[in-house]
Amino acid sequence: MECNLCDDPEYYVKWEVKKFPLWTIYIHPNQCYLARCFVVLNRHMDDFFDITKKELDEYFLVVKKLRDGVRGLFQPDLYNYAILQNNLNHVHLNFVPRYKE
């Protein structure tokens, strides 16, 4: 199946925030919520439940670092974490800080 992240990785470089060994954080181009990001597995995988234990462990460390950094900078009121894959057939997390105002 076609994968935009794998087929055209250079397109996403401009939004790269931090690359880890197994995951990469990208700022979402639609900033309807300040600091909205997506966290992407560095290798192609279609289903979140097929990732390895090592990938899962790093995933939680990366997302926690992202949350802590955004918390320190922008003080969101809460966070939404979503693994949807509606438009991108590649394992990734949608990270959406939410604000009362």
Side-chain angles (χ1 to χ4, degrees), residues 3-99:
C3 174
N4 291 341
L5 277 165
C6 294
D7 294 341
D8 191 10
E10 293 304 312
Y11 178 78
Y12 295 90
V13 169
K14 61 187 165 195
W15 295 311
E16 187 177 306
V17 174
K18 173 120 174 100
K19 189 172 199 90
F20 294 85
L22 304 173
W23 297 87
T24 301
I25 300 171
Y26 297 94
I27 193 77
H28 197 287
N30 179 346
Q31 287 293 296
C32 57
Y33 296 100
L34 181 64
R36 179 180 176 191
C37 294
F38 54 107
V39 180
V40 178
L41 184 62
N42 290 341
R43 71 180 179 103
H44 183 80
M45 183 59 55
D46 293 331
D47 192 310
F48 183 80
F49 287 98
D50 291 333
I51 67 173
T52 67
K53 171 84 165 85
K54 186 174 178 180
E55 289 166 337
L56 184 63
D57 290 345
E58 185 179 278
Y59 167 82
F60 281 103
L61 292 172
V62 168
V63 175
K64 186 176 184 309
K65 283 181 184 228
L66 174 59
R67 189 222 40 207
D68 292 349
V70 169
R71 178 183 284 160
L73 290 169
F74 304 115
Q75 298 82 43
D77 297 297
L78 59 97
Y79 307 88
N80 292 144
Y81 307 95
I83 301 170
L84 300 171
Q85 291 185 232
N86 291 328
N87 299 318
L88 189 58
N89 187 37
H90 189 114
V91 170
H92 68 287
L93 164 85
N94 293 282
F95 173 84
V96 186
R98 302 299 298 268
Y99 306 88

